[in-house]
Amino acid sequence: ILLVMEATRRAVGIPMVMVTSFFIVHALYANHFFSFFYGPPTSFTKYIDIVFVRTEGIFGIPMLVASTYIVLFIMFGAILIRSGAGRLFIDLAIALTGHRTGGPAKAAVVASAFLGTVSGSAVANVVTTGSFTIPLMKKLGYKAKFAGAVEACASSGGQITPPIMGAAAFVIAEFMHVSYFYIIIAAIIPTVLYFATIYFMVDIEAQKEGIERLDKSVLPRVGEVLAQGWHQLFTLVVLVGLLAIGYTPMMSAFWAILTLVGLSFIRQGTRMSSVDLFAALESGVRSAMPVTVACGCAGIIIGSIFVSGLGLKFTNSVIELSGGNLFPLLVLTGIAAIILGMGMTTTAVYITVAALIVPSLIQMDVVPMAAHLFAFYFGVVSTITPPVALASFAAAAIAGSKPMATAVESARIGIAKYLVPFAFVYNPSLLFEGPGWLTVISTAFALVGMWGLSVMLEGWHKGRISMPVRTIVGLSSLALLFPPQLDFFDTVPGYAVVTIGLACLVVVLTMQNRSRQTVNGRTG
């Protein structure tokens, strides 16, 4: 246990050691605590038996997942990046979006989404794509803090982007006893909503600042990019295909790695020498080390909660604190996950919240998948949330902007990561739970709602809009995020709320456009 704690201090940081120490001390000396922390103490012998000898502690589910799924997928990502996939993703994103309004910023969004499929590190994504996209955004006319914030938000989406999500996604699958492919499918719509919102923000900001498009002649062509790197993208198809037909994540990753190494010899530019391969393996091991250590330390937390019985007490206490209402409970859960995420890895945050609070969400009839993904999303969002926003700080260093100002801007641009979890808790159809027609309708409404929120936050729609109009647009957009079948206060049908929200949004923005046209006509 002491070795794991010391390894955690070196690889992860002091905050996680402090959190783990609290749970250890509590399990051994619960009779000296107060309120719901009070309880019978655990003997040292029994504690060691549970945490070290049995599979409820260090050698529990987190370590099982780390030693099987996570290491292989991190290796796959490291080899893919070493073969030149990072450059491929950037070139493909620029080819697809560079000619549009605010092209480089949109390229940053798309490139980071692509890179997120193979890298679970927000900071690594910022450094990889941001070193190219941030200077290009600034050169085109975007403010430094906005350019850094866009890259930070796009890069932090890597851990929620299928098919290779962050390590916590594998832990979710193991906790829920479901296929990892099921997690991938559930994460598709929330990911689309998140990146679409950033895309909306970038587009509106470009209109507001009068940013021009890039000339197509200076951009790479999609066909040429795919011709050079199709085999690297094909390995992702192999990975998802094997998962879809029922192969285990381990076997899928294994065959994807072999396919990648074999196909790398097709092109001279991607051909991997023995030095490249060993360097990729070394990089993979180095990347896996903090995750593995964090999983071992998280196992100590789980074992301590199990032996002390704190989990059941905490669940009941949180429900009482929320007054039996779901919304306050979700807010408390989100705040707890963000605070924990300031000093712990996403995987450790998710495991802690899953052990303490997720059972209370499920107890209040939240769909299990929604409850677990809610904890996961708020564990990820800490990378762009002040005061400790590592992805934003890394982007600020490249952009030459103030770190805290960039972090605040990141929280604004990444608003979807705060709101979408609430949306899929109240509307599980966004996770493909329920009838397909409801999923389609809910997704369409949610996209319109996130666009409306982007307009409200930017304060611009074909011209600057006033604060009263922004307020109406914001409230109308929020109404579109809730499920049509939900009855509000047992009196107002959800369909009425959604319809009224959509009508208000359309009417207000139409009036805004006509007012703008009238003013422009008089000016002319």
Side-chain angles (χ1 to χ4, degrees):
I1 291 173
L2 291 175
L3 283 172
V4 171
M5 297 282 280
E6 173 59 15
T8 302
R9 184 188 68 80
R10 297 186 184 192
V12 183
I14 288 291
M16 189 170 183
V17 175
M18 295 173 64
V19 172
T20 308
S21 300
F22 169 81
F23 285 106
I24 292 175
V25 173
H26 174 265
L28 295 174
Y29 305 104
N31 57 317
H32 294 289
F33 283 75
F34 56 90
S35 186
F36 65 83
F37 288 107
Y38 177 82
T42 303
S43 69
F44 186 72
T45 304
K46 182 180 179 181
Y47 182 81
I48 295 299
D49 181 48
I50 295 293
V51 174
F52 177 71
V53 178
R54 300 190 191 181
T55 56
E56 285 88 1
I58 294 175
F59 303 105
I61 289 177
M63 187 58 71
L64 168 68
V65 174
S67 61
T68 51
Y69 309 149
I70 294 175
V71 170
L72 272 174
F73 275 81
I74 289 178
M75 290 292 185
F76 172 71
I79 296 173
L80 190 59
I81 294 299
R82 187 75 182 189
S83 70
R87 184 73 253 174
L88 168 70
F89 290 146
I90 293 174
D91 289 343
L92 184 59
I94 292 173
L96 289 170
T97 63
H99 63 284
R100 300 180 182 276
T101 304
K106 292 176 180 176
V109 177
V110 177
S112 296
F114 284 153
L115 194 63
T117 62
V118 295
S119 172
S121 171
V123 176
N125 287 359
V126 168
V127 174
T128 304
T129 60
S131 58
F132 175 81
T133 57
I134 290 176
L136 196 53
M137 280 189 271
K138 290 176 62 180
K139 184 178 179 181
L140 211 62
Y142 284 104
K143 296 176 182 176
K145 70 173 183 179
F146 186 87
V150 166
E151 182 57 50
C153 291
S155 295
S156 69
Q159 288 179 293
I160 63 172
T161 306
I164 307 175
M165 301 163 68
F170 298 98
V171 184
I172 295 173
E174 199 66 30
F175 270 141
M176 294 186 63
H177 304 290
V178 297
S179 165
Y180 177 65
F181 187 71
Y182 183 43
I183 305 295
I184 291 176
I185 295 300
I188 290 175
I189 294 176
T191 302
V192 170
L193 292 175
Y194 177 68
F195 281 104
T197 305
I198 302 174
Y199 194 92
F200 295 149
M201 292 275 199
V202 164
D203 186 67
I204 296 170
E205 182 75 12
Q207 295 174 28
K208 188 166 67 172
E209 298 295 332
I211 295 174
E212 301 294 332
R213 306 183 182 196
L214 289 177
D215 190 343
K216 280 189 175 182
S217 61
V218 302
L219 300 174
R221 297 178 182 273
V222 175
E224 294 174 355
V225 174
L226 289 177
Q228 292 294 323
W230 66 267
H231 54 287
Q232 293 169 314
L233 296 177
F234 181 72
T235 57
L236 295 176
V237 176
V238 170
L239 176 66
V240 176
L242 291 175
L243 287 170
I245 63 177
Y247 277 75
T248 64
M250 286 183 291
M251 188 61 74
S252 301
F254 171 75
W255 284 111
I257 289 173
L258 290 187
T259 303
L260 173 60
V261 174
L263 291 179
S264 70
F265 288 90
I266 290 179
R267 298 281 180 186
Q268 185 174 358
T270 61
R271 193 171 299 157
M272 299 185 69
S273 65
S274 57
V275 174
D276 291 327
L277 186 58
F278 280 113
L281 293 175
E282 178 190 357
S283 174
V285 171
R286 289 182 180 276
S287 299
M289 186 58 64
V291 178
T292 307
V293 169
C295 285
C297 199
I300 297 177
I301 295 175
I302 292 177
S304 301
I305 293 172
F306 173 80
V307 75
S308 67
L310 180 61
L312 183 60
K313 282 185 177 182
F314 197 88
T315 297
N316 294 332
S317 299
V318 169
I319 292 176
E320 289 179 11
L321 184 63
S322 65
N325 296 316
L326 179 58
F327 184 75
L329 179 58
L330 292 173
V331 173
L332 290 171
T333 304
I335 292 173
I338 290 174
I339 292 173
L340 289 173
M342 292 177 183
M344 297 164 61
T345 63
T346 302
T347 307
V349 173
Y350 162 73
I351 292 170
T352 305
V353 176
L356 290 174
I357 307 178
V358 166
S360 62
L361 294 176
I362 296 174
Q363 194 172 323
M364 295 187 70
D365 297 326
V366 175
V367 173
M369 177 62 75
H372 284 275
L373 286 182
F374 186 90
F376 174 47
Y377 267 58
F378 273 96
V380 173
V381 80
S382 61
T383 57
I384 60 170
T385 304
V388 182
L390 297 182
S392 300
F393 294 166
I398 299 174
S401 58
K402 294 181 179 179
M404 194 54 65
T406 306
V408 173
E409 188 76 352
S410 300
R412 185 180 71 88
I413 295 173
I415 187 69
K417 200 173 279 187
Y418 301 93
L419 294 181
V420 169
F422 285 90
F424 63 61
V425 165
Y426 283 102
N427 190 3
S429 64
L430 294 175
L431 303 178
F432 291 98
E433 299 276 351
W437 63 268
L438 185 58
T439 296
V440 173
I441 292 175
S442 298
T443 303
F445 280 145
L447 277 171
V448 175
M450 297 314 298
W451 174 80
L453 284 172
S454 301
V455 170
M456 185 270 289
L457 289 171
E458 287 288 334
W460 183 274
H461 180 65
K462 298 181 180 179
R464 198 168 300 280
I465 57 179
S466 63
M467 186 55 68
V469 173
R470 292 173 69 174
T471 303
I472 296 173
V473 169
L475 293 175
S476 303
S477 301
L478 286 174
L480 296 175
L481 296 178
F482 290 97
Q485 79 277 20
L486 180 68
D487 288 340
F488 289 81
F489 310 113
D490 298 323
T491 55
V492 184
Y495 287 104
V497 174
V498 172
T499 303
I500 292 171
L502 184 60
C504 288
L505 187 63
V506 172
V507 169
V508 169
L509 292 181
T510 301
M511 291 175 63
Q512 173 73 18
N513 288 344
R514 289 181 177 176
S515 174
R516 184 70 55 185
Q517 290 170 4
T518 302
V519 171
N520 290 340
R522 288 173 180 170
T523 303

